Amino acid sequence: AQTVTQSQPEMSVQEAETVTLSCTYDTSESDYYLFWYKQPPSRQMILVIRQEAYKQQNATENRFSVNFQKAAKSFSLKISDSQLGDAAMYFCAHHTGANSKLTFGKGITLSVRP
Amino acid sequence: DSGVTQTPKHLITATGQRVTLRCSPRSGDLSVYWYQQSLDQGLQFLIQYYNGEERAKGNILERFSAQQFPDLHSELNLSSLELGDSALYFCASSPRQGNYGYTFGSGTRLTVV
């Protein structure tokens, strides 16, 4: 079974600074996909970034980038130039294929200090 | 608007009652997933349907059931409700596989009193 671990329940960052959110996962599959989702106070789940395990290049979406370490089964999210609107809960998630579900970590609450 | 529509947005009901949550997936998506998010908990997978057929089951209670109709909308039925069933219930959809991630609805907040 796939598991996703987010060991930090909360983090805080100063506006305009950079923060890294950690995530580790466990899987026996060789082909899988990793995601970060954002859940702001509105509770809407928003896809932030996606990484394909067979791609060595780290995914980037504007101010959001990942550090994907396949051997270590680590998938961290870096937020650059943090903005007040980045304050939210962030979930790391893992998916293996056609008949697989998206497995989420417990999430981390990020606060942004003005 | 994500394209996934969930109704109702809020629901308050008493213990022992039965409720139905409804979900319309994004246009073109064949897979529907139901998740439960309790207070201080992550998202727990309940069940997946693909083009009308059940594809995967998670930690879904026997008191809970779901189905996907020919028009692809889905309903989650919760019966004999308990206080602990109070949660945010999300529906999500994907085209076929979930490799590109799921699109989530805005959720139904269920409060059991």
Side-chain angles (χ1 to χ4, degrees):
Chain A
Q2 289 77 36
T3 60
V4 178
T5 302
Q6 296 179 254
S7 57
Q8 307 155 302
E10 296 178 355
M11 285 196 75
S12 180
V13 63
Q14 190 74 35
E15 193 176 5
E17 296 295 310
T18 296
V19 64
T20 298
L21 311 182
S22 301
C23 172
T24 59
Y25 60 93
D26 189 21
T27 182
S28 57
E29 303 289 334
S30 58
D31 187 20
Y32 52 89
Y33 305 82
L34 297 165
F35 306 86
W36 279 96
Y37 276 85
K38 172 184 178 182
Q39 188 179 38
S42 68
R43 306 298 270 181
Q44 176 73 51
M45 293 290 290
I46 302 165
L47 178 62
V48 175
I49 200 164
R50 169 183 177 270
Q51 175 78 41
E52 299 171 11
Y54 62 87
K55 287 188 176 180
Q56 291 187 346
Q57 185 174 5
N58 290 322
T60 299
E61 290 287 342
N62 301 313
R63 298 183 294 107
F64 298 87
S65 62
V66 300
N67 183 4
F68 174 46
Q69 301 289 329
K70 191 171 184 177
K73 295 183 179 177
S74 170
F75 183 60
S76 59
L77 175 69
K78 186 172 81 170
I79 306 174
S80 304
D81 185 24
S82 296
Q83 301 175 0
L84 296 178
D86 294 333
M89 196 154 191
Y90 287 83
F91 291 94
C92 178
H94 171 280
H95 189 281
T96 56
N99 295 319
S100 170
K101 64 182 186 296
L102 201 56
T103 300
F104 288 88
K106 288 193 175 298
I108 177 172
T109 299
L110 176 68
S111 59
V112 181
R113 305 185 301 274
Chain B
D1 183 8
S2 67
V4 177
T5 304
Q6 285 189 251
T7 57
K9 292 193 181 303
H10 302 277
L11 198 50
I12 302 175
T13 190
T15 54
Q17 295 298 305
R18 170 190 169 95
V19 297
T20 297
L21 312 184
R22 181 187 170 100
C23 169
S24 293
R26 192 178 58 166
S27 178
D29 286 356
L30 299 179
S31 280
V32 169
Y33 312 82
W34 287 96
Y35 281 81
Q36 179 193 57
Q37 185 178 29
S38 302
L39 195 63
D40 298 328
Q41 292 291 318
L43 285 96
Q44 302 296 316
F45 171 71
L46 295 177
I47 199 164
Q48 176 202 358
Y49 280 85
Y50 172 74
N51 203 21
E53 294 186 2
E54 181 184 306
R55 275 296 175 92
K57 225 170 185 178
N59 297 324
I60 187 167
L61 300 172
E62 286 191 9
R63 300 183 286 109
F64 295 1
S65 64
Q67 55 184 327
Q68 186 180 28
F69 295 86
D71 67 353
L72 301 178
H73 91 271
S74 178
E75 292 180 356
L76 178 67
N77 300 296
L78 315 176
S79 61
S80 303
L81 285 167
E82 303 174 358
L83 295 178
D85 297 326
S86 296
L88 187 58
Y89 291 84
F90 280 107
C91 169
S93 70
S94 69
R96 182 169 182 261
Q97 303 176 11
N99 298 345
Y100 288 88
Y102 301 171
T103 302
F104 281 80
S106 56
T108 292
R109 168 71 69 186
L110 174 66
T111 303
V112 183
V113 297

